[in-house]
Structure formats: structure tokens, C-alpha cells
């Protein structure tokens, strides 16, 4: 069993390096699988499956949250959502993220949490079962 999990797949290494820099600035170690193969032959990216961004299993939820929060444009590179510890489905989103809020109440809550300088004990919420949890749990 691998100790890494793929959080995103990119067509070109240059795209992956930008996201890698963001994750590493947040203390998440990143490994780019097939980076040099695609750099050597860019036309082989489809055959290889692109540049796979991988993180340690322990950092997976944190990395997904950072990718989701950083820029809505990055969401298209996601491979899977964070897994809910309660129901086991991969539908967890960060509570502070305005882009993934489903209704007006969630959007207002996200805006409030971004503006006020206090933090909640739970940073993620499952869209399926509404369980709230933190990345450190």
C-alpha cells in the first residue's frame, strides 16, 4: 500500500509547480510523479497520464482544503474530495470556502468566518451527512 495519495493531475509540469509552491508554503510536502517524463516529452502527457501531484496520506485532507480554498480555478484539477470520517463519502468541503457553499446561509457563514479573527474547532463539513471535522482529527 502506498503512503502517498494523488490530489491532482496536471497536463504540464509548469502548472503543477505553481500549485506545489502553494502547498509547500503551507507546510505540505509534495511529490510530483512523472514530472520529468512529461517535461522531456510533452506530447506523451496523455499516454503517461499527466503529472500526478501526490502528498502523504496524513496531509491529504489539508492539501485538498488548500487547493479548494486557494483558487476556484484549481478545483478543476482535483481528483477526489476529502473523505468524511462519519459516512465515508468523499464530499467534505471547507466551511470557510465561499465558492463551495450551497446556499445563502452557508455563503454568509463563510464570509463571516473569513472576516472575523476567530476560528472554529471544525474546518470541514460533509455535504452528505453534515458532519463537521478538522484536518487534525
Amino acid at each position: 500500500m502506498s503512503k502517498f495519495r494523488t490530489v491532482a493531475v496536471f497536463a504540464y509540469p509548469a502548472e503543477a509547480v505553481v500549485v506545489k509552491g502553494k502547498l509547500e508554503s503551507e507546510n505540505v510536502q509534495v511529490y510530483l510523479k512523472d514530472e520529468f517524463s512529461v517535461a522531456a516529452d510533452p506530447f506523451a502527457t496523455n499516454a503517461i497520464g499527466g503529472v500526478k501531484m501526490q502528498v502523504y496520506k496524513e496531509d491529504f485532507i489539508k492539501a485538498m482544503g488548500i487547493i479548494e480554498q486557494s483558487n476556484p480555478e484549481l478545483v478543476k484539477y482535483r481528483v477526489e474530495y476529502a473523505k468524511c470520517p462519519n459516512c465515508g463519502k468523499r464530499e467534505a468541503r471547507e466551511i470557510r470556502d465561499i465558492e463551495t457553499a450551497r446556499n445563502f446561509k452557508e455563503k454568509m457563514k463563510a464570509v463571516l468566518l473569513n472576516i472575523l479573527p476567530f476560528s472554529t474547532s471544525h474546518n470541514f463539513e460533509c455535504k452528505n451527512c453534515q458532519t463537521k471535522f478538522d484536518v487534525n482529527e
Side-chain angles (χ1 to χ4, degrees):
M1 190 89 162
S2 175
K3 60 182 176 179
F4 293 103
R5 293 198 54 195
T6 302
V7 292
V9 178
F10 298 88
Y12 300 106
E15 298 170 330
V17 170
V18 173
V19 180
K20 178 182 178 184
K22 175 63 178 166
L23 289 173
E24 288 180 342
S25 73
E26 299 282 342
N27 296 323
V28 176
Q29 289 185 315
V30 178
Y31 171 70
L32 297 178
K33 186 176 180 183
D34 297 326
E35 173 187 18
F36 298 115
S37 299
V38 173
D41 187 7
F43 294 111
T45 190
N46 288 335
I48 294 172
V51 179
K52 293 150 211 77
M53 180 174 288
Q54 297 185 332
V55 298
Y56 286 108
K57 286 183 179 180
E58 302 83 38
D59 293 332
F60 177 75
I61 293 176
K62 182 178 179 182
M64 292 302 295
I66 293 167
I67 289 173
E68 187 175 73
Q69 181 181 1
S70 297
N71 187 346
E73 187 68 19
L74 298 179
V75 176
K76 69 181 181 182
Y77 297 117
R78 276 201 316 212
V79 175
E80 51 189 319
Y81 288 89
K83 184 177 181 181
C84 174
N86 184 37
C87 68
K89 293 193 176 186
R90 297 195 182 278
E91 295 186 13
R93 70 170 196 88
E94 192 185 8
I95 296 171
R96 294 175 186 256
D97 189 15
I98 298 167
E99 296 296 322
T100 59
R102 295 173 293 181
N103 55 39
F104 182 74
K105 182 179 175 185
E106 287 182 1
K107 285 186 189 271
M108 296 312 324
K109 183 177 178 182
V111 168
L112 184 66
L113 289 173
N114 280 314
I115 293 173
L116 296 177
F118 65 88
S119 65
T120 62
S121 60
H122 303 295
N123 294 319
F124 288 84
E125 180 180 19
C126 180
K127 293 180 182 180
N128 184 48
C129 67
Q130 284 72 44
T131 300
K132 294 180 181 177
F133 60 97
D134 195 13
V135 287
N136 297 327
E137 293 180 355

